[in-house]
Amino acid sequence: MEEPAAEIPLPFSAQSPSTFPPPRGTFLDADGSDRGFLELIGLQELHQSSFLFQQPAARATCVASAPPPVQAKSSDAVNFPANPSSMSCSSTETGANPTKPATAGEANEQEAETKERCKEEGGKKKKKKGQKPQKEPRFAFETRSEVDHLDDGYRWRKYGQKAVKNSRFPRSYYRCTSATCGVKKRVERSSDDPAVVVTTYEGQHNHPSPVVPRGAHHAPPPQPPLLPAEPSMPPPLGFVFSPPVNTKEFQLPLLSSYLAPPPLDFNRSAAPRTLVVTSDLTASIEGRNQTAESAIRDDGLLQDLIPSEIRKEE
DNA sequence: CGGATTTGACCTGCGC
DNA sequence: GCGCAGGTCAAATCCG
């Protein structure tokens, strides 16, 4: 029932062209709403994390997909972890069809949601008896990287590895090391393009990134942080999507709420960078913005930002 | 020594 | 009902 994940270009480009290719696109979550890629993964913190943006030229695309964590493909720039060159993301959430955005109608969405839920709850194998069948938001990112496990600012513990049927590469299973955080992620290489690492996040972090202090600003990470050489490219702290042609398409539900850690002050305190996505889906970083974003930030996450903007439009 | 990773076994759901 | 595949567990091992 789920529709194929819609392919959407990622908006967050975060950088100057030199390092990051012109970003275009947005992240859609299952609802078909757009979200900042980072937000999706709760990377808001990542922005601050050093690993992010370490390497320039990254392409990322995000696609919201239905239950099957299908990675979206795209080509945009985003920096991710260690040596990501490109990435795309897809999200699977409780009801929302990427292909059927808000336009579909709430009724549809609700139905879809319900269906998906049923599917996920029922279809999803409950790990072991007694496990809560709750479905967790999932986001898949395609990242062009040499390393399988991209550092996203959180600490992960590998708990399994499995050979995948359609892939010559094994899939690795990671779990957030935080005792209270049940976020998991699967990492596998694309059989089509071995250079592409597909990372699927499941769940939302309920804690700040251990690796990078929210206030990364004052505490420089051990690793070479964001591209210093690229002054023009501001670390992706927050993205602001300017209302595109289709505001509906730009709806950003609370993706961040999924993975994004609880609203930490650091977010707000952190200098926000704005990523503006133009109607043509081109994203550009405006630099630290304090306007709407800040307002949004009050809410806690970028997601809020975007949505608000969009909402306005709507 | 503690934490992370590896790896085979086990469990569960789905499709046929 | 059976087999397959995905996902998880947990003991063994590795590494800092």
Side-chain angles (χ1 to χ4, degrees):
Chain A
M1 324 221 138
E2 12 288 355
E3 327 253 298
E7 293 190 351
I8 302 154
L10 282 189
F12 42 64
S13 57
Q15 294 343 300
S16 47
S18 40
T19 358
F20 297 72
R24 39 185 139 177
T26 56
F27 296 87
L28 295 188
D29 81 44
D31 301 301
S33 6
D34 301 344
R35 316 176 176 229
F37 147 72
L38 295 177
E39 293 179 10
L40 299 184
I41 27 180
L43 293 184
Q44 37 183 21
E45 303 195 349
L46 292 182
H47 313 336
Q48 310 176 24
S49 308
S50 51
F51 49 90
L52 279 190
F53 308 102
Q54 279 186 356
Q55 316 238 353
R59 304 175 147 206
T61 316
C62 159
V63 176
S65 56
V70 182
Q71 54 268 26
K73 329 189 139 185
S74 61
S75 36
D76 267 320
V78 171
N79 350 315
F80 222 37
N83 10 333
S85 322
S86 74
M87 67 189 317
S88 43
C89 82
S90 67
S91 69
T92 10
E93 240 313 88
T94 55
N97 292 332
T99 42
K100 310 186 163 185
T103 51
E106 285 195 14
N108 275 345
E109 287 193 1
Q110 287 192 355
E111 265 195 275
E113 200 172 313
T114 308
K115 287 180 183 180
E116 279 200 10
R117 254 181 219 202
C118 291
K119 196 174 184 183
E120 286 236 339
E121 291 182 10
K124 214 169 187 175
K125 26 202 109 191
K126 20 194 123 176
K127 330 184 157 203
K128 297 252 161 172
K129 43 236 156 171
Q131 297 247 5
K132 56 179 179 194
Q134 289 193 356
K135 87 191 241 157
E136 309 203 340
R138 288 196 284 177
F139 305 96
F141 295 91
E142 240 180 47
T143 308
R144 202 168 271 290
S145 171
E146 293 179 8
V147 297
D148 290 353
H149 190 193
L150 304 172
D151 185 355
D152 56 8
Y154 290 90
R155 293 188 64 77
W156 301 90
R157 188 168 67 82
K158 189 175 185 177
Y159 66 89
Q161 181 172 303
K162 262 282 215 180
V164 185
K165 198 40 176 172
N166 295 322
S167 177
R168 354 174 228 166
F169 304 99
R171 175 181 296 164
S172 297
Y173 299 89
Y174 296 87
R175 187 171 294 166
C176 184
T177 56
S178 178
T180 59
C181 182
V183 178
K184 288 181 280 186
K185 80 172 179 182
R186 290 176 299 196
V187 177
E188 61 184 293
R189 284 198 174 274
S190 170
S191 54
D192 292 340
D193 185 354
V196 174
V197 177
V198 180
T199 304
T200 304
Y201 289 85
E202 184 172 328
Q204 57 184 71
H205 291 285
N206 56 8
H207 60 96
S209 167
V211 175
V212 182
R214 284 72 249 312
H217 340 357
H218 38 72
Q223 304 183 14
L226 338 175
L227 332 159
E230 301 274 36
S232 54
M233 82 185 257
L237 280 182
F239 298 97
V240 174
F241 298 77
S242 53
V245 188
N246 248 341
T247 25
K248 285 190 178 183
E249 292 194 350
F250 282 75
Q251 281 186 3
L252 304 180
L254 317 173
L255 218 192
S256 40
S257 57
Y258 300 149
L259 310 175
L264 304 173
D265 289 345
F266 57 85
N267 267 337
R268 300 162 189 180
S269 57
R273 313 243 162 141
T274 309
L275 172 91
V276 179
V277 178
T278 57
S279 47
D280 64 88
L281 299 186
T282 322
S284 59
I285 296 187
E286 297 210 336
R288 312 178 169 201
N289 248 355
Q290 297 267 346
T291 51
E293 317 159 58
S294 0
I296 300 165
R297 269 184 206 222
D298 280 347
D299 278 338
L301 298 177
L302 305 175
Q303 55 183 37
D304 294 29
L305 307 178
I306 298 164
S308 64
E309 288 246 31
I310 294 163
R311 285 171 193 164
K312 283 182 184 180
E313 286 273 13
E314 286 200 321

